[in-house]
Amino acid sequence: MKIAIGNDHAATELKFVIKDYVESLGHEVINFGTDDNESCDYPAFGKAVGEAVVAKEADCGILICGTGVGISIAANKVKGVRAAVCSDVATAHLVKEHNNANIIAFGARIVGQELAKDIVKAYLEAEFEGGRHQRRIDMIHDIEE
Ligand code: RB5
């Protein structure tokens, strides 16, 4: 898969850990930055990854900031994005199975590196279940209209 990754300054170190991990699983990463520790504004990175996913330049996205919250709120303003903050493995697979989340987010100040890898793996390996869940997703996107 092609996976778009974006982060702010709070998450640069974890972003590179996750980038290497995702590549080790055989995926291609499109890195939207930031790549240093200079203070920056997370909405720009949430927007960039959201737009790449909706444009199908990437199959899905991973967003990381201090908490995962700000950057996911920003991404969710892009029409067609379903970005979900995950701090545990169960949520990570359920957001794909039930919500067909096209972006997962987590916080570098909230989860450690090993848990972050497990979250990413659970999300990438999960499959959307469709059925009643698709109806609910359609209702969510009706709100955007
Ligand atoms: C940056 O200090 C921090 O506010 C940001 O990374 C994120 O946690 C916002 O939701």
Side-chain angles (χ1 to χ4, degrees), residues 8-10 42 65-71 109:
D8 74 357
H9 56 281
Y42 59 77
C65 65
T67 59
V69 173
I71 202 162
R109 294 172 179 161

Side-chain angles (χ1 to χ4, degrees), residues 11-141:
T12 303
E13 184 186 348
L14 182 57
K15 187 273 294 291
F16 283 118
V17 169
I18 294 301
K19 178 177 179 293
D20 289 349
Y21 178 64
V22 164
E23 287 171 344
S24 79
L25 296 176
H27 302 291
E28 184 183 334
V29 168
I30 310 171
N31 176 21
F32 284 87
T34 186
D35 288 342
D36 61 39
N37 299 314
E38 287 297 309
S39 182
C40 63
D41 299 324
Y42 59 77
F45 303 97
K47 178 174 186 278
V49 168
E51 287 177 345
V53 169
V54 169
K56 301 201 184 301
E57 291 161 21
D59 298 298
C60 62
I62 298 172
L63 288 170
I64 323 171
C65 65
T67 59
V69 173
I71 202 162
S72 64
I73 290 173
N76 275 315
K77 297 298 180 187
V78 178
K79 192 174 172 181
V81 165
R82 294 178 303 283
V85 181
C86 303
S87 300
D88 62 89
V89 168
T91 305
H93 67 78
L94 281 166
V95 300
K96 174 64 86 52
E97 292 163 359
H98 288 194
N99 313 113
N100 204 13
N102 48 16
I103 296 177
I104 56 162
F106 42 87
R109 294 172 179 161
I110 307 298
V111 301
Q113 292 184 1
E114 295 309 313
L115 177 55
K117 288 185 207 170
D118 288 348
I119 286 169
V120 167
K121 189 166 192 283
Y123 169 75
L124 293 176
E125 289 181 352
E127 290 188 12
F128 178 49
E129 292 176 3
R132 68 189 187 283
H133 301 299
Q134 184 59 57
R135 180 179 71 246
R136 292 161 186 166
I137 289 168
D138 291 343
M139 290 173 71
I140 290 170
H141 287 296

